[in-house]
Amino acid sequence: DYIDFEYIVVDGCSTDGSIELLEGYRERLQHLVVEPDDGQADAIRKGFELASGDLLCFLNSDDLLLPGCLTWVAEYFGSNDDVDAIYSHRVFVNETDEPTKFWTLPPHSDYCMSRWDFIPQETCFWRRSLMLEAGGMDPSYQFALDYDLFVRMMKLGRFRRVHAFLAAFRVHAEAKSSTLYETVGRQEVDKVRIANDVRLHWYDVLLKYLFGGTILGISWLFRIVSLSAFRDRIKFIS
């Protein structure tokens, strides 16, 4: 229901049928870039360089924006000039778009979110001016590209967790988040902390488990109370 947006797709010469599928939507895309790249962060960087909007976000190919999301986001930024970036609670979906669980997140904390990568990337929107000031996407990352960008932007602007569900994160066996964290992911998270002088103290580990435990506890209760009704009310975009 929102028309003033640019949809930019960057594909690194996929061989899984993506390019053929995208050709059927070419007239609805402001840009379709199909060319070799140096990985996901490099591809997203190319997309941002083509974007002209005041508000930015990016989606991985598995993830979904929920119906009404763009209108809600535009209105929120329009009435909250003091906020530079927002993110929401997270909905997890399976291969057939069924919601399976949630993260119900507490209010934003720069201290916590700069130390632990809890921001649901697919739900995050920010002002273009903030990203440019922070230096944009660093193409050297393959896993922690969003965490790196968010930490740099948190130093310069005001983030807020909004009380909404803006997007859905898909979980499946081949997802990068499932397969790479214990190797490339952990190394890159450490690299972000070092590059941004984010120091972990012994009590920060305790904070991680208190914060994460709060998310899981509240989310478990929310799932028990609301999941069946939520499934009936929300139709995901396919």
Side-chain angles (χ1 to χ4, degrees), residues 14-222:
S14 295
T15 58
D16 61 356
S18 293
I19 297 172
E20 292 78 9
L21 179 67
L22 288 166
E23 286 294 341
Y25 293 90
R26 182 180 282 274
E27 65 180 21
R28 298 172 63 180
L29 307 177
Q30 271 62 42
H31 299 279
L32 172 57
V33 180
V34 179
E35 63 185 25
D37 55 51
D38 293 327
Q40 181 187 9
D42 184 43
I44 295 169
R45 177 191 59 80
K46 291 179 182 181
F48 282 147
E49 289 178 350
L50 293 169
S52 64
D54 295 325
L55 303 175
L56 300 175
C57 71
F58 73 91
L59 280 181
N60 299 316
S61 58
D62 288 327
D63 302 331
L64 307 169
L65 296 181
L66 296 185
C69 170
L70 296 183
T71 297
W72 195 98
V73 168
E75 292 176 352
Y76 187 91
F77 276 103
S79 58
N80 291 274
D81 294 337
D82 60 326
V83 176
D84 300 296
I86 64 172
Y87 60 92
S88 78
H89 307 305
R90 170 178 268 180
V91 182
F92 293 83
V93 296
N94 60 19
E95 292 92 334
T96 57
D97 291 351
E98 295 176 311
T100 57
K101 61 180 180 178
F102 302 87
W103 275 7
T104 307
L105 293 156
H108 176 76
S109 163
D110 279 353
Y111 184 90
C112 186
M113 291 303 194
S114 64
R115 281 158 177 78
W116 305 109
D117 186 14
F118 281 118
I119 293 179
Q121 165 266 311
E122 75 283 357
T123 76
C124 195
F125 294 78
W126 57 89
R127 298 188 190 275
R128 177 187 183 86
S129 56
L130 176 63
M131 190 185 78
L132 292 177
E133 185 180 359
M137 184 71 67
D138 184 340
S140 70
Y141 287 94
Q142 299 301 319
F143 183 93
L145 55 147
D146 51 342
Y147 177 46
D148 169 67
L149 179 63
F150 296 159
V151 170
R152 286 186 281 118
M153 292 198 299
M154 274 188 274
K155 291 182 175 181
L156 302 169
R158 183 180 181 187
F159 275 62
R160 180 176 292 173
R161 189 276 293 148
V162 296
H163 189 50
F165 290 96
L166 298 178
F169 178 79
R170 191 183 307 279
V171 177
H172 59 86
E174 300 302 319
K176 186 180 75 171
S177 298
S178 304
T179 58
L180 291 182
Y181 179 74
E182 292 302 328
T183 55
V184 176
R186 190 180 296 276
Q187 296 172 6
E188 289 195 354
V189 166
D190 289 340
K191 177 183 172 182
V192 172
R193 294 186 184 123
I194 293 170
N196 291 280
D197 195 26
V198 175
R199 301 180 182 181
L200 293 183
H201 304 89
W202 66 267
Y203 49 81
D204 290 321
V205 178
L206 178 61
L207 174 65
K208 172 188 177 182
Y209 287 103
L210 288 173
F211 193 82
T214 299
I215 293 173
L216 294 176
I218 295 174
S219 301
W220 178 83
L221 179 62
F222 182 86

